[in-house]
Every structure is written in structure tokens, then in C-alpha cells.
Amino acid sequence: MTKKELIMSTLEEKMGYYPEIDEDGDIKVAYQLKTIYVMTSEDDESYVSVMLPQFHEIEDGLETLALAVCNKMSRELKFAKIYIDQTFKHVTATCEFFYSGKKSLMQNLEKSFELLGVVRTVFRNDMEELS
């Protein structure tokens, strides 16, 4: 079983989701009205990146504030990375981890989904707090 098949199986059979493979070959999952991507690479055998792309659009003039919020969140959440893309227009969040077996894969996917499920709200709250 490949890593992608293992992740698909875990998402479907163990966690009850309906994942799909998108046109780029990434695993796409609907979670709490969000589209989350699980990206794999066969290079790093037990490494997975779970992404909520472009969950916030940055208004002109608020780039510095958004960078400060990304830094604060990345420090506080530890398991997640929150960052601004190359265009300085959108904020993306990822949870990246290594797993050692089926159980740790499922636990890390669950934790990733939980964090990515609330990251938008936390980001907006922090934007208000720091502005």
C-alpha cells in the first residue's frame, strides 16, 4: 500500500471522510465547510503536510499586521504554520508531521483537521486584537 493509499484509507475507513484526489494528485477533503488538502511526497516516506490554502485575503496596507499575526499564531499553535504567500495577498495554514504507523497517522490527521478548522477564527480574532 502506498502512502497516498494509506492516507485515503485512514480518512475514509477510520475517520469517516470522503476524500478525493484532485488534478494535482493531492488528497482533497471537505471539513467543516472548508476544503483541506493532504499533500504527500514519496521522497519523505513518513512525512505529510495538511493545508488550508488562502483562508484569508489581506487588505492593502495590512500586510505588516498580517505578518505579525502569522508569527504570533505559529509561535502559539506549535503544530501549525501560518504564513503569507509570495504575493502578500493570502494567508495559508499547514500542519506538517511525520508518522510512525497507522495510529499516529490518524492522530496527527485528527489534530491537523481540528487546528485547521479553527485557524480562520483565531486569525481574525488576533487581527482585531493586534490592530
Side-chain angles (χ1 to χ4, degrees), residues 106-121:
M106 187 172 83
Q107 289 171 337
N108 283 314
L109 286 171
E110 287 173 342
K111 181 69 172 173
S112 297
F113 282 35
E114 287 173 19
L115 276 170
L116 296 177
V118 299
V119 74
R120 181 181 298 158
T121 302

Side-chain angles (χ1 to χ4, degrees), residues 50-123:
V50 183
M51 175 186 284
L52 177 63
Q54 300 181 344
F55 69 85
H56 180 83
E57 188 171 341
I58 302 169
E59 296 176 30
D60 287 337
L62 296 180
E63 295 87 357
T64 304
L65 176 61
L67 279 169
V69 170
C70 289
N71 184 41
K72 178 181 186 295
M73 289 179 67
S74 291
R75 260 191 347 263
E76 292 173 354
L77 294 175
K78 294 185 177 77
F79 189 66
K81 294 179 185 178
I82 294 76
Y83 57 91
I84 296 176
D85 66 10
Q86 308 90 302
T87 66
F88 287 93
K89 296 293 179 194
H90 296 99
V91 180
T92 294
T94 61
C95 293
E96 301 173 2
F97 59 87
F98 287 92
Y99 63 94
S100 59
K102 292 178 183 181
K103 184 176 180 182
S104 70
L105 174 62
M106 187 172 83
Q107 289 171 337
N108 283 314
L109 286 171
E110 287 173 342
K111 181 69 172 173
S112 297
F113 282 35
E114 287 173 19
L115 276 170
L116 296 177
V118 299
V119 74
R120 181 181 298 158
T121 302
V122 173
F123 185 86

